[in-house]
Amino acid sequence: NIKTYGESLAQIMWMVGVKPVPDALGRVNKLELLSLEELGRPRIDVVINCSGVFRDLFINQMNLLDKAVKMAAEADEPLEMNFIRKHAMKQAEEMGINLRQAATRVFSNASGSYASNVNLAVENSTWESESELQEMYLTRKSFAFSSDNPGTMEQDRQIFESSLKTADVTFQNLDSSEISLTDVSHYFDSDPTKVISTLRGDGKKPAAYIADTTTANAQVRTLSETVRLDTRTKMLNPKWYEGMLSHGYEGVRELSKRLVNTMGWSATAGAVDNWVYEEANETFMKDEEMQKRLLNLNPNSFRKMVTTLLEANGRGYWETSEENLNRLRELYQEVEDRIEGIE
């Protein structure tokens, strides 16, 4: 948000149908509800999940977003033109709470807590089933912000879950080609795509989109398209991996980290095509020359690459031949021996 001057804030305000009103000094502390005539479409309900860092730095902006949603919920408009009001009224009735409480849509971590820890579980392979990852997300990211009581973050998992249930789309912004979807684990750590599928009664998977504003030619792509693009331009691009491997030990660690982050997108969103794992295996495991290089440069990270591919298969994210799997198991043994110092 710092890099994009609040791009996602603008997106949310536009969906809700409000506009910021600057004061005499140009500061934005007030909002104005756009009329439905001016908007020309229904108001769209949103669930806003802020990172812990955003919560620390931009509490005033969270305040504005909460006010925006509550203004829309209280607007006396036809329900088919205002989904925020429609959902909030239903939630108020079901939960026996007032409309303002039911219109809670801004969530983050508890004060002093960061991330959903899904990334740590994926990085360390310390999870049995996807439901565990989803439980972590729901437990840690369901602290509600309220402009009526701005000093506290109270856990309100019931409203968080009931708001996510009606979501049709998940969405994140990408502001830098330097730090993309598989460069870091933060992106998949905050992705609720499979969480929503599980919460929805119909099991429908929401459409997942990523807005890429890294160039002047801004584009919105599907999540799986963006993962494909990332894989083609980085992990499977000889210019990229040769550039990495020229750094020796650290280069192999970068490769292994990227493979783990790629698997993170399988775990949270099912957004990785089979060929991504297949070609990673082809490029780094089948090529004997490459195998030797990776093994000699950094045996520990090479072992992590081997185990990540085996794990991707074991978790049902990658279908491949028995021959490939046997080779990986043999490679694992070979690397183990090398690390243990057995010739």
Side-chain angles (χ1 to χ4, degrees), residues 80-293:
E80 69 277 4
M81 289 305 283
N82 184 337
F83 286 99
I84 300 161
R85 184 170 173 81
K86 182 181 177 179
H87 294 154
M89 284 174 89
K90 189 171 180 229
Q91 285 169 309
E93 194 184 324
E94 283 172 359
M95 296 178 199
I97 52 179
N98 66 41
L99 185 68
R100 280 185 82 76
Q101 271 179 293
T104 300
R105 294 291 184 271
V106 183
F107 297 89
S108 185
N109 291 75
S111 302
S113 153
Y114 300 86
S116 70
N117 286 354
V118 166
N119 57 349
L120 297 179
V122 169
E123 284 163 13
N124 299 308
S125 305
T126 51
W127 55 290
E128 288 292 320
S129 67
E130 286 177 2
S131 61
E132 272 175 63
L133 301 180
Q134 292 165 17
E135 182 58 30
M136 284 162 110
Y137 182 91
L138 291 167
T139 309
R140 289 178 60 86
K141 301 298 289 185
S142 55
F143 287 78
F145 174 88
S146 168
S147 52
D148 300 336
N149 188 11
T152 60
M153 296 287 293
E154 297 288 337
Q155 186 156 32
D156 201 336
R157 186 160 160 175
Q158 197 186 1
I159 286 189
F160 187 47
E161 287 193 14
S162 91
S163 304
L164 285 174
K165 261 181 199 159
T166 56
D168 286 319
V169 170
T170 64
F171 181 79
Q172 292 192 59
N173 284 308
L174 209 55
D175 63 350
S176 149
S177 52
E178 204 178 324
I179 304 168
S180 186
L181 285 191
T182 57
D183 283 273
V184 290
S185 59
H186 303 81
Y187 283 111
F188 75 78
D189 179 72
S190 56
D191 179 82
T193 307
K194 280 189 180 173
V195 174
I196 292 169
S197 301
T198 306
L199 289 174
R200 286 181 70 110
D202 57 9
K204 185 182 148 201
K205 194 172 154 190
Y209 294 106
I210 301 284
D212 176 356
T213 54
T214 54
T215 62
N217 174 25
Q219 291 197 342
V220 175
R221 297 187 182 93
T222 65
L223 172 56
S224 44
E225 240 179 312
T226 315
V227 172
R228 284 198 286 274
L229 186 66
D230 222 37
T231 306
R232 285 260 179 251
T233 51
K234 291 182 179 171
M235 186 164 70
L236 297 175
N237 178 0
K239 279 187 180 167
W240 184 86
Y241 63 71
E242 286 300 344
M244 283 295 142
L245 294 179
S246 67
H247 293 276
Y249 183 88
E250 183 58 20
V252 189
R253 196 184 74 83
E254 276 296 322
L255 263 174
S256 121
K257 191 179 79 176
R258 185 170 297 275
L259 193 56
V260 171
N261 291 341
T262 302
M263 191 178 70
W265 285 110
S266 286
T268 61
V272 187
D273 298 333
N274 203 63
W275 66 259
V276 170
Y277 296 114
E278 197 64 36
E279 290 197 19
N281 178 62
E282 195 83 25
T283 307
F284 303 111
M285 302 297 157
K286 270 189 171 176
D287 181 334
E288 287 194 20
E289 201 57 34
M290 178 60 88
Q291 260 179 48
K292 285 195 179 74
R293 279 173 74 192

Side-chain angles (χ1 to χ4, degrees), residues 6-24:
E7 189 170 62
S8 50
L9 302 173
Q11 289 161 339
I12 293 161
M13 287 180 188
W14 179 241
M15 285 186 220
V16 171
V18 295
K19 70 174 179 192
V21 180
D23 65 12

Side-chain angles (χ1 to χ4, degrees), residues 301-327:
S301 288
F302 181 55
R303 175 174 62 181
K304 182 66 176 164
M305 288 176 75
V306 174
T307 54
T308 303
L309 283 169
L310 285 168
E311 187 181 346
N313 170 260
R315 294 195 188 277
Y317 302 145
W318 173 39
E319 281 181 36
T320 191
S321 68
E322 203 49 46
E323 181 196 343
N324 279 341
L325 296 171
N326 285 335
R327 182 189 303 99

